[in-house]
Amino acid sequence: MADSICLINQKGGCGKSSTCLHLAGAFAGSGMRVLLIDADPQGSLSQGLLGSAAVENLPMEQTTAGLFDERNFFGDLSKIIQETKFDRIWLAPANQHLSRFNTPCPEQTGMDQFAMRDFVAKQTNVDIVLIDCPPNLYRCSWNSMVAADYVVIPVPPEDFGTQGLRAVHQAVLNARKLNPELRRLGHVITRSDRRLLIHRSYETKLRDAYADLVFSTVIPEASAFKVATACRQPVEHYQPSSVAASLTRTLSREILDRISMKTKLRSVA
Ligand SMILES: Nc1ncnc2c1ncn2[C@@H]1O[C@H](COP(=O)(O)OP(=O)(O)O)[C@@H](O)[C@H]1O
Ligand SMILES: [Mg+2]
């Protein structure tokens, strides 16, 4: 069975989609087979791999909206997954068709809460699944948490934002009612500029508050990430010798270490 991780934070611009894209490159570079699932109606991750026009033109049944569409329940969901131009990376893309399914208060609706879970469970040909969530805790994020084994929370080191993080942690606890095995792997500090006092002090506060629930690896604000994304490539493929690629590889290894530790210890986080 593949390990599945959803990247979640109700803040936009904190690097969820970017981290998904570049981690996919690092995992694939180490020989793993990766499925990226875009659960965000904005489709940034999909556009980062396929380009805007191609993504906008995809019909619903070739996007993750097909998972939620009642008419497609018994349809051929394999049409949702497409190959990318990178070895060992596949994508289940999203576009504007997903918007109407991303409704608020997902726990309280009678709608299908397991649509994503059933889809992820069928992915036996990959080693790891990364799910990119939208910047809210609506139905798409909820379905992703119900589907995933693990949660990773990207956090930029600004604006302490404890309120926002608390809501994310509460959402994880709520999702455990349907998915008791869901575990938090940790917060990953993204877009950090250690020359800035505010960033260094935010990092200290985060580590004080969450201790081991913060990854040691810090992802810096680096132009290599932006340029690679603009070139529709993970930084591992675009510039493997860059610091950005090297740190992404380190993060990917830390993620795998944490997964194997949790599996061994069955620890709750
Ligand atoms: N580590 C980074 N260094 C430089 N730019 C980044 C980094 N992470 C994200 N970005 C850029 O910041 C913007 C928002 O990132 P994105 O991954 O789309 O955030 P989210 O998915 O959380 O909304 C994008 O333009 C992205 O290219
Ligand atoms: Mg995003």
mmCIF file of all heavy atoms in Angstrom, residues 9 11-20 22 40 42 44-45 132-135 154 190-192 219-227 229-230, ligand 1:
data_model
loop_
_atom_site.group_PDB
_atom_site.id
_atom_site.type_symbol
_atom_site.label_atom_id
_atom_site.label_comp_id
_atom_site.label_asym_id
_atom_site.label_seq_id
_atom_site.Cartn_x
_atom_site.Cartn_y
_atom_site.Cartn_z
ATOM 1 N N ASN A 9 -3.173 23.543 5.002
ATOM 2 C CA ASN A 9 -3.124 24.746 5.837
ATOM 3 C C ASN A 9 -4.210 25.643 5.286
ATOM 4 O O ASN A 9 -4.355 25.752 4.070
ATOM 5 C CB ASN A 9 -1.762 25.438 5.747
ATOM 6 C CG ASN A 9 -1.615 26.520 6.805
ATOM 7 O OD1 ASN A 9 -2.586 27.190 7.146
ATOM 8 N ND2 ASN A 9 -0.410 26.689 7.314
ATOM 9 N N LYS A 11 -4.267 28.682 5.246
ATOM 10 C CA LYS A 11 -3.678 29.891 4.656
ATOM 11 C C LYS A 11 -3.297 29.631 3.203
ATOM 12 O O LYS A 11 -2.799 28.557 2.893
ATOM 13 C CB LYS A 11 -2.399 30.252 5.403
ATOM 14 C CG LYS A 11 -2.606 31.245 6.538
ATOM 15 C CD LYS A 11 -1.290 31.519 7.209
ATOM 16 C CE LYS A 11 -0.533 32.573 6.422
ATOM 17 N NZ LYS A 11 0.073 33.617 7.242
ATOM 18 N N GLY A 12 -3.483 30.630 2.358
ATOM 19 C CA GLY A 12 -2.981 30.524 0.987
ATOM 20 C C GLY A 12 -1.545 31.035 0.940
ATOM 21 O O GLY A 12 -1.096 31.742 1.843
ATOM 22 N N GLY A 13 -0.818 30.649 -0.075
ATOM 23 C CA GLY A 13 0.523 31.185 -0.313
ATOM 24 C C GLY A 13 1.574 30.662 0.639
ATOM 25 O O GLY A 13 2.663 31.225 0.731
ATOM 26 N N CYS A 14 1.275 29.578 1.370
ATOM 27 C CA CYS A 14 2.286 29.110 2.325
ATOM 28 C C CYS A 14 3.148 27.995 1.743
ATOM 29 O O CYS A 14 4.007 27.457 2.438
ATOM 30 C CB CYS A 14 1.651 28.706 3.641
ATOM 31 S SG CYS A 14 0.386 27.493 3.485
ATOM 32 N N GLY A 15 2.944 27.667 0.487
ATOM 33 C CA GLY A 15 3.842 26.722 -0.170
ATOM 34 C C GLY A 15 3.323 25.293 -0.229
ATOM 35 O O GLY A 15 4.108 24.368 -0.449
ATOM 36 N N LYS A 16 2.029 25.104 -0.081
ATOM 37 C CA LYS A 16 1.488 23.728 -0.163
ATOM 38 C C LYS A 16 1.737 23.134 -1.556
ATOM 39 O O LYS A 16 2.317 22.067 -1.691
ATOM 40 C CB LYS A 16 -0.038 23.725 0.107
ATOM 41 C CG LYS A 16 -0.425 24.124 1.512
ATOM 42 C CD LYS A 16 -1.930 24.098 1.715
ATOM 43 C CE LYS A 16 -2.674 25.192 0.953
ATOM 44 N NZ LYS A 16 -2.324 26.566 1.324
ATOM 45 N N SER A 17 1.276 23.863 -2.577
ATOM 46 C CA SER A 17 1.378 23.322 -3.942
ATOM 47 C C SER A 17 2.837 23.194 -4.363
ATOM 48 O O SER A 17 3.242 22.202 -4.975
ATOM 49 C CB SER A 17 0.641 24.236 -4.924
ATOM 50 O OG SER A 17 -0.683 24.416 -4.504
ATOM 51 N N SER A 18 3.618 24.213 -4.010
ATOM 52 C CA SER A 18 5.039 24.203 -4.367
ATOM 53 C C SER A 18 5.744 23.016 -3.702
ATOM 54 O O SER A 18 6.506 22.278 -4.342
ATOM 55 C CB SER A 18 5.628 25.542 -3.899
ATOM 56 O OG SER A 18 6.972 25.596 -4.139
ATOM 57 N N THR A 19 5.455 22.792 -2.423
ATOM 58 C CA THR A 19 6.096 21.686 -1.704
ATOM 59 C C THR A 19 5.688 20.346 -2.316
ATOM 60 O O THR A 19 6.519 19.444 -2.474
ATOM 61 C CB THR A 19 5.730 21.746 -0.196
ATOM 62 O OG1 THR A 19 6.037 23.055 0.286
ATOM 63 C CG2 THR A 19 6.500 20.736 0.615
ATOM 64 N N CYS A 20 4.421 20.213 -2.699
ATOM 65 C CA CYS A 20 3.953 18.970 -3.354
ATOM 66 C C CYS A 20 4.749 18.712 -4.637
ATOM 67 O O CYS A 20 5.264 17.609 -4.853
ATOM 68 C CB CYS A 20 2.484 19.110 -3.757
ATOM 69 S SG CYS A 20 1.326 18.603 -2.510
ATOM 70 N N HIS A 22 7.661 19.931 -5.722
ATOM 71 C CA HIS A 22 9.102 19.690 -5.605
ATOM 72 C C HIS A 22 9.403 18.396 -4.840
ATOM 73 O O HIS A 22 10.362 17.697 -5.173
ATOM 74 C CB HIS A 22 9.780 20.921 -4.996
ATOM 75 C CG HIS A 22 9.560 22.150 -5.835
ATOM 76 N ND1 HIS A 22 9.920 22.198 -7.167
ATOM 77 C CD2 HIS A 22 8.960 23.342 -5.562
ATOM 78 C CE1 HIS A 22 9.568 23.375 -7.673
ATOM 79 N NE2 HIS A 22 8.986 24.088 -6.723
ATOM 80 N N ASP A 40 -7.346 20.977 -4.998
ATOM 81 C CA ASP A 40 -7.626 22.415 -4.912
ATOM 82 C C ASP A 40 -8.253 22.899 -6.225
ATOM 83 O O ASP A 40 -7.630 22.767 -7.287
ATOM 84 C CB ASP A 40 -6.310 23.163 -4.654
ATOM 85 C CG ASP A 40 -6.514 24.658 -4.469
ATOM 86 O OD1 ASP A 40 -7.654 25.144 -4.637
ATOM 87 O OD2 ASP A 40 -5.522 25.343 -4.163
ATOM 88 N N GLN A 42 -8.335 25.657 -7.411
ATOM 89 C CA GLN A 42 -7.464 26.613 -8.109
ATOM 90 C C GLN A 42 -6.505 25.899 -9.065
ATOM 91 O O GLN A 42 -5.962 26.528 -9.976
ATOM 92 C CB GLN A 42 -6.649 27.421 -7.110
ATOM 93 C CG GLN A 42 -7.468 28.416 -6.314
ATOM 94 C CD GLN A 42 -6.619 29.129 -5.268
ATOM 95 O OE1 GLN A 42 -5.479 29.508 -5.511
ATOM 96 N NE2 GLN A 42 -7.161 29.284 -4.087
ATOM 97 N N SER A 44 -3.430 24.923 -8.894
ATOM 98 C CA SER A 44 -2.045 25.422 -9.044
ATOM 99 C C SER A 44 -1.054 24.298 -9.319
ATOM 100 O O SER A 44 -0.178 24.429 -10.177
ATOM 101 C CB SER A 44 -1.574 26.142 -7.771
ATOM 102 O OG SER A 44 -2.532 27.025 -7.318
ATOM 103 N N LEU A 45 -1.203 23.207 -8.581
ATOM 104 C CA LEU A 45 -0.265 22.093 -8.760
ATOM 105 C C LEU A 45 -0.370 21.538 -10.182
ATOM 106 O O LEU A 45 0.646 21.284 -10.837
ATOM 107 C CB LEU A 45 -0.581 21.005 -7.731
ATOM 108 C CG LEU A 45 0.203 19.712 -7.842
ATOM 109 C CD1 LEU A 45 1.688 19.951 -7.605
ATOM 110 C CD2 LEU A 45 -0.330 18.678 -6.849
ATOM 111 N N ASP A 132 -2.619 17.707 -2.554
ATOM 112 C CA ASP A 132 -2.487 19.160 -2.374
ATOM 113 C C ASP A 132 -3.865 19.755 -2.061
ATOM 114 O O ASP A 132 -4.782 19.677 -2.887
ATOM 115 C CB ASP A 132 -1.931 19.777 -3.666
ATOM 116 C CG ASP A 132 -1.662 21.253 -3.506
ATOM 117 O OD1 ASP A 132 -1.418 21.707 -2.370
ATOM 118 O OD2 ASP A 132 -1.697 21.975 -4.524
ATOM 119 N N CYS A 133 -4.005 20.329 -0.879
ATOM 120 C CA CYS A 133 -5.314 20.829 -0.434
ATOM 121 C C CYS A 133 -5.480 22.320 -0.713
ATOM 122 O O CYS A 133 -4.500 23.058 -0.808
ATOM 123 C CB CYS A 133 -5.477 20.576 1.070
ATOM 124 S SG CYS A 133 -5.611 18.836 1.471
ATOM 125 N N PRO A 134 -6.737 22.782 -0.793
ATOM 126 C CA PRO A 134 -6.989 24.217 -0.985
ATOM 127 C C PRO A 134 -6.747 24.999 0.315
ATOM 128 O O PRO A 134 -6.623 24.392 1.380
ATOM 129 C CB PRO A 134 -8.470 24.270 -1.377
ATOM 130 C CG PRO A 134 -9.063 22.992 -0.899
ATOM 131 C CD PRO A 134 -7.963 21.983 -0.788
ATOM 132 N N PRO A 135 -6.725 26.330 0.226
ATOM 133 C CA PRO A 135 -6.459 27.135 1.432
ATOM 134 C C PRO A 135 -7.714 27.335 2.284
ATOM 135 O O PRO A 135 -8.051 28.461 2.640
ATOM 136 C CB PRO A 135 -5.936 28.460 0.857
ATOM 137 C CG PRO A 135 -6.560 28.551 -0.488
ATOM 138 C CD PRO A 135 -6.748 27.155 -0.985
ATOM 139 N N PRO A 154 2.490 22.894 5.857
ATOM 140 C CA PRO A 154 3.483 23.907 5.499
ATOM 141 C C PRO A 154 3.136 25.240 6.173
ATOM 142 O O PRO A 154 1.982 25.655 6.166
ATOM 143 C CB PRO A 154 3.353 24.036 3.973
ATOM 144 C CG PRO A 154 2.574 22.827 3.533
ATOM 145 C CD PRO A 154 1.683 22.493 4.701
ATOM 146 N N THR A 190 8.325 26.804 5.596
ATOM 147 C CA THR A 190 8.549 27.071 4.171
ATOM 148 C C THR A 190 8.819 28.560 3.970
ATOM 149 O O THR A 190 8.482 29.387 4.818
ATOM 150 C CB THR A 190 7.284 26.723 3.350
ATOM 151 O OG1 THR A 190 6.171 27.394 3.938
ATOM 152 C CG2 THR A 190 7.004 25.234 3.318
ATOM 153 N N ARG A 191 9.393 28.885 2.842
ATOM 154 C CA ARG A 191 9.579 30.274 2.412
ATOM 155 C C ARG A 191 10.351 31.091 3.451
ATOM 156 O O ARG A 191 10.066 32.262 3.674
ATOM 157 C CB ARG A 191 8.228 30.920 2.098
ATOM 158 C CG ARG A 191 7.336 30.046 1.243
ATOM 159 C CD ARG A 191 6.235 30.801 0.594
ATOM 160 N NE ARG A 191 6.795 31.782 -0.344
ATOM 161 C CZ ARG A 191 6.073 32.620 -1.058
ATOM 162 N NH1 ARG A 191 4.775 32.620 -0.949
ATOM 163 N NH2 ARG A 191 6.647 33.462 -1.873
ATOM 164 N N SER A 192 11.312 30.440 4.085
ATOM 165 C CA SER A 192 12.036 31.100 5.168
ATOM 166 C C SER A 192 13.223 31.906 4.635
ATOM 167 O O SER A 192 13.929 31.461 3.726
ATOM 168 C CB SER A 192 12.541 30.021 6.133
ATOM 169 O OG SER A 192 13.458 30.576 7.028
ATOM 170 N N ILE A 219 12.544 24.867 4.480
ATOM 171 C CA ILE A 219 12.573 25.195 3.044
ATOM 172 C C ILE A 219 12.714 26.715 2.903
ATOM 173 O O ILE A 219 11.856 27.466 3.365
ATOM 174 C CB ILE A 219 11.276 24.696 2.352
ATOM 175 C CG1 ILE A 219 11.163 23.161 2.448
ATOM 176 C CG2 ILE A 219 11.219 25.162 0.903
ATOM 177 C CD1 ILE A 219 12.265 22.388 1.736
ATOM 178 N N PRO A 220 13.791 27.174 2.287
ATOM 179 C CA PRO A 220 14.003 28.623 2.184
ATOM 180 C C PRO A 220 13.198 29.242 1.036
ATOM 181 O O PRO A 220 12.747 28.530 0.135
ATOM 182 C CB PRO A 220 15.501 28.714 1.862
ATOM 183 C CG PRO A 220 15.784 27.454 1.108
ATOM 184 C CD PRO A 220 14.861 26.398 1.652
ATOM 185 N N GLU A 221 13.018 30.537 1.125
ATOM 186 C CA GLU A 221 12.504 31.273 -0.036
ATOM 187 C C GLU A 221 13.655 31.286 -1.042
ATOM 188 O O GLU A 221 14.738 31.772 -0.738
ATOM 189 C CB GLU A 221 12.137 32.710 0.397
ATOM 190 C CG GLU A 221 11.620 33.604 -0.710
ATOM 191 C CD GLU A 221 10.120 33.401 -1.006
ATOM 192 O OE1 GLU A 221 9.427 32.749 -0.215
ATOM 193 O OE2 GLU A 221 9.687 33.894 -2.057
ATOM 194 N N ALA A 222 13.471 30.700 -2.187
ATOM 195 C CA ALA A 222 14.578 30.596 -3.147
ATOM 196 C C ALA A 222 14.045 30.711 -4.559
ATOM 197 O O ALA A 222 13.013 30.100 -4.894
ATOM 198 C CB ALA A 222 15.295 29.255 -2.962
ATOM 199 N N SER A 223 14.757 31.459 -5.374
ATOM 200 C CA SER A 223 14.255 31.681 -6.735
ATOM 201 C C SER A 223 14.238 30.377 -7.540
ATOM 202 O O SER A 223 13.419 30.210 -8.438
ATOM 203 C CB SER A 223 15.068 32.762 -7.443
ATOM 204 O OG SER A 223 16.367 32.296 -7.619
ATOM 205 N N ALA A 224 15.113 29.419 -7.170
ATOM 206 C CA ALA A 224 15.135 28.147 -7.928
ATOM 207 C C ALA A 224 13.760 27.472 -7.906
ATOM 208 O O ALA A 224 13.338 26.875 -8.905
ATOM 209 C CB ALA A 224 16.188 27.209 -7.358
ATOM 210 N N PHE A 225 13.052 27.566 -6.779
ATOM 211 C CA PHE A 225 11.716 26.963 -6.702
ATOM 212 C C PHE A 225 10.767 27.645 -7.692
ATOM 213 O O PHE A 225 10.023 26.999 -8.411
ATOM 214 C CB PHE A 225 11.129 27.095 -5.290
ATOM 215 C CG PHE A 225 11.775 26.214 -4.261
ATOM 216 C CD1 PHE A 225 12.425 26.764 -3.160
ATOM 217 C CD2 PHE A 225 11.706 24.830 -4.362
ATOM 218 C CE1 PHE A 225 13.005 25.953 -2.190
ATOM 219 C CE2 PHE A 225 12.285 24.010 -3.403
ATOM 220 C CZ PHE A 225 12.946 24.575 -2.305
ATOM 221 N N LYS A 226 10.821 28.989 -7.677
ATOM 222 C CA LYS A 226 9.914 29.750 -8.548
ATOM 223 C C LYS A 226 10.220 29.494 -10.022
ATOM 224 O O LYS A 226 9.313 29.297 -10.832
ATOM 225 C CB LYS A 226 10.092 31.254 -8.304
ATOM 226 C CG LYS A 226 9.383 31.784 -7.086
ATOM 227 C CD LYS A 226 9.499 33.315 -7.099
ATOM 228 C CE LYS A 226 9.268 33.912 -5.727
ATOM 229 N NZ LYS A 226 7.954 33.675 -5.184
ATOM 230 N N VAL A 227 11.520 29.517 -10.348
ATOM 231 C CA VAL A 227 11.897 29.359 -11.755
ATOM 232 C C VAL A 227 11.550 27.951 -12.240
ATOM 233 O O VAL A 227 10.992 27.768 -13.328
ATOM 234 C CB VAL A 227 13.408 29.667 -11.959
ATOM 235 C CG1 VAL A 227 13.799 29.482 -13.413
ATOM 236 C CG2 VAL A 227 13.730 31.078 -11.486
ATOM 237 N N THR A 229 9.190 26.041 -11.123
ATOM 238 C CA THR A 229 7.735 25.974 -11.292
ATOM 239 C C THR A 229 7.313 26.656 -12.586
ATOM 240 O O THR A 229 6.476 26.142 -13.332
ATOM 241 C CB THR A 229 7.019 26.613 -10.076
ATOM 242 O OG1 THR A 229 7.503 26.000 -8.884
ATOM 243 C CG2 THR A 229 5.513 26.432 -10.152
ATOM 244 N N ALA A 230 7.919 27.823 -12.857
ATOM 245 C CA ALA A 230 7.583 28.542 -14.095
ATOM 246 C C ALA A 230 7.942 27.707 -15.319
ATOM 247 O O ALA A 230 7.292 27.798 -16.366
ATOM 248 C CB ALA A 230 8.307 29.884 -14.129
HETATM 249 N N1 LIG B 1 10.198 28.127 -1.040
HETATM 250 C C1 LIG B 1 9.770 28.988 -1.950
HETATM 251 N N2 LIG B 1 10.618 29.884 -2.524
HETATM 252 C C2 LIG B 1 10.172 30.788 -3.421
HETATM 253 N N3 LIG B 1 8.902 30.885 -3.816
HETATM 254 C C3 LIG B 1 8.004 30.025 -3.292
HETATM 255 C C4 LIG B 1 8.382 29.049 -2.337
HETATM 256 N N4 LIG B 1 7.281 28.344 -1.984
HETATM 257 C C5 LIG B 1 6.265 28.856 -2.702
HETATM 258 N N5 LIG B 1 6.700 29.872 -3.484
HETATM 259 C C6 LIG B 1 5.884 30.689 -4.392
HETATM 260 O O1 LIG B 1 4.882 31.336 -3.616
HETATM 261 C C7 LIG B 1 3.632 31.318 -4.274
HETATM 262 C C8 LIG B 1 2.605 30.595 -3.412
HETATM 263 O O2 LIG B 1 3.039 29.259 -3.240
HETATM 264 P P1 LIG B 1 2.033 28.032 -3.340
HETATM 265 O O3 LIG B 1 2.831 26.791 -3.285
HETATM 266 O O4 LIG B 1 1.128 28.210 -4.514
HETATM 267 O O5 LIG B 1 1.204 28.229 -1.987
HETATM 268 P P2 LIG B 1 -0.167 27.531 -1.537
HETATM 269 O O6 LIG B 1 -0.341 26.299 -2.343
HETATM 270 O O7 LIG B 1 0.014 27.254 -0.089
HETATM 271 O O8 LIG B 1 -1.248 28.543 -1.778
HETATM 272 C C9 LIG B 1 3.870 30.644 -5.619
HETATM 273 O O9 LIG B 1 4.091 31.645 -6.566
HETATM 274 C C10 LIG B 1 5.131 29.824 -5.391
HETATM 275 O O10 LIG B 1 5.902 29.664 -6.569
#
